[in-house]
Amino acid sequence: MATEYTPPAPGSKIIIVGGGCFGLSTAYALALKHQYDIWVFDRQAIPANDAASCDINKIVRMDYANDTLYMHLMVEAFGMWRQWNKERAEKNLEPVFHQSGVLLFSGKDKFSDFERDCMKNIREAGYGHFIEEFISPEQIIEKFPQFQKAVENGFNTAYLNKEGGWCNSSEAVKHIYNKCLDLDVHFVTGMDTGCLDSLYCDPKSPNTVVGIKTADGKIHYGDRVLLTTGSWTSGVVDMHKQVVATGQQVIHFQPPQHLRREWEKLPVWCGDLSNTGYYGFPCNADGKMKIGKHHSGYLNPRATDEVSVPRTQVTHTGDTIPIGALREFRQFMGKFLPETSNLDISFGRVCWYSDSIDGDFVIGPHPDYKNLLVACGDSGHGLKFIPVIGFKIRDIVEGIDTEYSRAWAWRNMQTQDTKLDGLRADALLQRLILCEDNNADCRMCHVDEFKASFDHASAAKI
């Protein structure tokens, strides 16, 4: 039976576990009210190396097909991203948001349902001026000659959302972290002092959370506890299979100067993403070009209870990406941006999502406990909202009913009802086990296999 939730009174101590996107944004929004004692715990210094939010870039898009709740939230966030850029300019810091545009490709001479619904809803909301729809394949090449081979290889339908782009996600995390410090939010970090060991419940009322216990054995009391632990959440508390940790592969190229000059001018691109899963970015200031795959992902079930938990380069320093994922990257990029076929991959990692059962965030009181809230289920599309998501979570912490609190409230969906977010609508829901003994495609590839000269066909026969 769900426990009735009571909002915190003024003067309450609120413990937030997890200093990533949802945690910091919420700490900032709560601190602006100057009526709570806010404490954030994280097992690493912020930004945490293996958090999904710690990355060189993330897509900032408003293209959500029929999920218009997120489209409107992104329109709100655009203004805040620009404000952050102004704040950084005043301190002679690089911008965190780059309005490169987001170019969404489809194949087979027509838009997929996802892209068609995106344009329809953006136009109906009054933002049609953001959209540049290309009437012919030739128009795409004229605007973006770098994609000539992609167009010739079937990615011949596209539109550009001129308002979108990308953010430097690690820098965005640092930016809001500093805003929290300015508002006297308390931070406790470190593998002993900041690492959650367990929730701490009232001995006389085992379902009433009264604080947390950290890895050093210390108990920290709080009036409310908010878990913003991302993909670790389902391994920390029973989430009744409403979220699952899934690993998604990411690679970087470091192209030579002549290609770098060309690829710095690229928009963010989605390569028929609702079907293929592939997306990518322009080269950043360090000359790194990131490509990722947004799909149903890999699982890493722990032996004790089969709950999938993140396996990251913090705990497994030699990890890269699965060899099967590497082959798929090479095959796709060979068609989409064939110049990459002659380039070594400079970096690879598995990025962990907290994938909700239906692609929507899961934010609200936990039904099994009193005084405990969760904010998770990012489903791979949370970071773009970091400037504003905390205000929506603050409303939920304070018990205020909004369209967001209703959309993100606890759901009791069954596993067989699982669906991926709209951008993965046509993806096959098939989750492989990472590093599974009897599946050669799921082993971590070696760094020498990142070389363009590596012969994967021959290696597969060995």
Side-chain angles (χ1 to χ4, degrees), residues 17 195-199 227-246 300-311 352-355 366 369 372 374 376-377 410:
V17 184
C195 181
L196 176 71
D197 176 76
S198 61
L199 299 170
L227 293 180
T228 55
T229 38
S231 51
W232 282 266
T233 306
S234 48
V236 170
V237 66
D238 186 355
M239 290 297 295
H240 301 274
K241 299 184 178 177
Q242 301 306 289
V243 296
V244 60
T246 67
N300 183 45
R302 61 186 177 192
T304 50
D305 56 10
E306 294 296 298
V307 170
S308 180
V309 293
R311 171 184 165 133
W352 288 89
Y353 293 178
S354 170
D355 249 333
H366 193 290
Y369 295 93
L372 177 69
V374 293
C376 57
W410 190 275

Side-chain angles (χ1 to χ4, degrees), residues 78-374:
F78 278 135
M80 291 295 287
W81 279 114
R82 293 193 174 90
Q83 172 60 26
W84 282 17
N85 279 357
K86 286 179 185 173
E87 292 168 5
R88 293 177 67 82
E90 289 167 5
K91 296 179 180 178
N92 293 316
L93 295 171
E94 288 293 309
V96 279
F97 171 56
H98 301 262
Q99 192 180 342
S100 64
V102 178
L103 182 63
L104 292 97
F105 285 94
S106 291
K108 309 186 185 81
D109 303 309
K110 63 176 184 178
F111 285 109
S112 72
D113 290 344
F114 178 81
E115 283 83 17
R116 197 161 44 246
D117 289 341
C118 283
M119 289 191 290
K120 173 179 178 287
N121 284 297
I122 289 169
R123 285 167 173 155
E124 287 180 2
Y127 301 110
H129 54 291
F130 293 167
I131 300 294
E132 182 177 349
E133 184 177 354
F134 298 105
I135 308 303
S136 69
E138 291 75 21
Q139 280 191 351
I140 304 171
I141 296 170
E142 184 180 352
K143 179 96 173 181
F144 299 109
Q146 303 96 324
F147 290 125
Q148 180 170 347
K149 291 293 184 187
V151 172
E152 291 172 354
N153 287 326
F155 298 92
N156 56 10
T157 312
Y159 80 86
L160 177 72
N161 189 323
K162 295 174 284 189
E163 192 73 0
W166 60 277
C167 68
N168 181 330
S169 43
S170 290
E171 280 299 315
V173 167
K174 290 180 194 172
H175 187 77
I176 199 164
Y177 169 61
N178 286 321
K179 290 166 87 71
C180 287
L181 291 175
D182 290 342
L183 290 168
D184 297 323
V185 172
H186 306 281
F187 286 88
V188 183
T189 60
M191 291 303 288
D192 293 324
T193 53
C195 181
L196 176 71
D197 176 76
S198 61
L199 299 170
Y200 185 73
C201 295
D202 184 343
K204 296 177 183 176
S205 177
N207 291 336
T208 301
V209 174
V210 293
I212 63 169
K213 183 180 175 184
T214 45
D216 58 2
K218 188 174 179 182
I219 294 166
H220 305 265
Y221 291 94
D223 298 295
R224 298 292 179 276
V225 173
L226 172 64
L227 293 180
T228 55
T229 38
S231 51
W232 282 266
T233 306
S234 48
V236 170
V237 66
D238 186 355
M239 290 297 295
H240 301 274
K241 299 184 178 177
Q242 301 306 289
V243 296
V244 60
T246 67
Q248 313 276 331
Q249 57 266 37
V250 168
I251 59 170
H252 296 174
F253 290 104
Q254 195 112 20
Q257 198 62 37
H258 70 286
L259 287 174
R260 176 176 170 175
R261 280 195 297 271
E262 287 300 306
W263 290 346
E264 283 174 342
K265 304 169 194 168
L266 292 179
V268 171
W269 56 265
C270 299
D272 195 11
L273 206 156
S274 62
N275 287 298
T276 72
Y278 291 99
Y279 63 93
F281 296 83
C283 284
N284 71 3
D286 296 325
K288 296 175 181 176
M289 186 173 79
K290 176 180 137 185
I291 318 290
K293 189 174 184 188
H294 183 59
H295 65 127
S296 56
Y298 292 86
L299 301 177
N300 183 45
R302 61 186 177 192
T304 50
D305 56 10
E306 294 296 298
V307 170
S308 180
V309 293
R311 171 184 165 133
T312 76
Q313 292 176 341
V314 168
T315 52
H316 296 75
T317 50
D319 273 7
T320 54
I321 61 171
I323 187 70
L326 175 64
R327 287 196 203 100
E328 290 172 10
F329 265 126
R330 286 296 194 185
Q331 288 166 5
F332 175 83
M333 294 303 291
K335 290 188 296 182
F336 191 82
L337 215 57
E339 296 94 332
T340 61
S341 298
N342 298 319
L343 300 180
D344 296 344
I345 291 168
S346 57
F347 174 78
R349 79 155 175 164
V350 175
C351 176
W352 288 89
Y353 293 178
S354 170
D355 249 333
S356 74
I357 205 158
D358 57 0
D360 282 315
F361 303 156
V362 179
I363 303 174
H366 193 290
D368 296 348
Y369 295 93
K370 189 176 180 182
N371 303 334
L372 177 69
L373 301 101
V374 293

Side-chain angles (χ1 to χ4, degrees), residues 21-91:
C21 172
F22 286 4
L24 293 176
S25 191
T26 306
Y28 173 63
L30 285 167
L32 282 172
K33 299 198 84 164
H34 301 287
Q35 65 181 44
Y36 304 112
D37 186 18
I38 312 296
W39 289 73
V40 178
F41 289 77
D42 201 295
R43 74 197 200 295
Q44 292 187 67
I46 295 168
N49 284 341
D50 55 356
S53 55
C54 185
D55 204 343
I56 63 169
N57 45 33
K58 300 286 188 192
I59 300 177
V60 177
R61 64 175 168 98
M62 61 181 288
D63 309 76
Y64 269 92
N66 295 319
D67 291 329
T68 54
L69 183 85
Y70 298 100
M71 176 185 74
H72 289 294
L73 185 60
M74 191 64 242
V75 171
E76 185 181 332
F78 278 135
M80 291 295 287
W81 279 114
R82 293 193 174 90
Q83 172 60 26
W84 282 17
N85 279 357
K86 286 179 185 173
E87 292 168 5
R88 293 177 67 82
E90 289 167 5
K91 296 179 180 178

